[in-house]
Amino acid sequence: MHARMNHPVMVVPDAMKALQALGELTKNSLPEKLLELVHLRASQINGCSVCVDMHPKLAKKAGETDERLFAVAAWRDTPYFTESERAALALTEALTRICDRADPVPDKVWSEADRHFDEAELAALVLAIANINVWNRLNVAVRQPAGVWKA
């Protein structure tokens, strides 16, 4: 497989630095394992092979288990996730699938996230979800092959 073009973050000056800087900001407010679960779930929804390949590897380096990683796509039906992780995953799905319903982020989803995260954490979570969605869309657009970027 070959990408359609050079990756946009490699073509547009400072694009890589900007997206990586945003990612670094979210790491200051949220646990790395939670961020990797969020990144993986959004990437599964968006069909981003690069990120579905990379984020489990990063999660494993952060101490995540195979059992939980294998269950991310079915998180509602497994006992492996905490209430706060479930709230983050639900918010991830809502913010990733904004066109799937009239109320993209239902009050129930937002309220549950708000119950588990303070304002700074919730802001970081929303930014992390938005950022992974940007990466997913860039990778999918250019058909970036999985495995090119090493975790």
Side-chain angles (χ1 to χ4, degrees):
M1 291 186 65
H2 298 286
R4 290 176 164 156
M5 64 176 279
N6 290 326
H7 201 283
V9 300
M10 301 300 189
V11 175
V12 176
D14 296 328
M16 176 73 88
K17 284 195 289 189
L19 290 176
Q20 286 180 331
L22 182 56
E24 287 301 316
L25 290 173
T26 63
K27 288 180 183 178
N28 296 332
S29 300
L30 296 167
E32 188 175 2
K33 285 179 13 178
L34 175 66
L35 287 170
E36 293 306 332
L37 293 175
V38 163
H39 294 161
L40 177 56
R41 185 63 191 124
S43 300
Q44 290 170 335
I45 293 166
N46 288 324
C48 180
S49 63
V50 172
C51 292
V52 168
D53 178 60
M54 179 174 32
H55 288 288
K57 293 172 184 172
L58 294 171
K60 292 274 293 185
K61 285 182 182 179
E64 193 52 83
T65 65
D66 285 336
E67 183 175 58
R68 285 168 38 99
L69 290 171
F70 297 151
V72 168
W75 62 269
R76 285 180 180 85
D77 301 319
T78 64
Y80 308 129
F81 303 99
T82 66
E83 287 187 28
S84 62
E85 289 168 337
R86 291 174 183 283
L89 290 166
L91 185 60
T92 300
E93 289 184 359
L95 286 172
T96 300
R97 293 181 163 147
I98 58 175
C99 70
D100 288 356
R101 60 184 136 220
D103 184 7
V105 182
D107 288 340
K108 181 179 178 182
V109 170
W110 184 265
S111 295
E112 188 64 11
D114 189 46
R115 190 168 78 82
H116 293 281
F117 301 98
D118 66 27
E119 186 175 38
E121 292 167 332
L122 192 52
L125 182 57
V126 169
L127 287 170
I129 296 165
N131 197 31
I132 192 61
N133 273 278
V134 169
W135 280 109
N136 291 165
R137 282 152 176 77
L138 293 171
N139 291 330
V140 168
V142 301
R143 291 189 180 156
Q144 185 69 35
V148 173
W149 291 346
K150 300 298 179 194

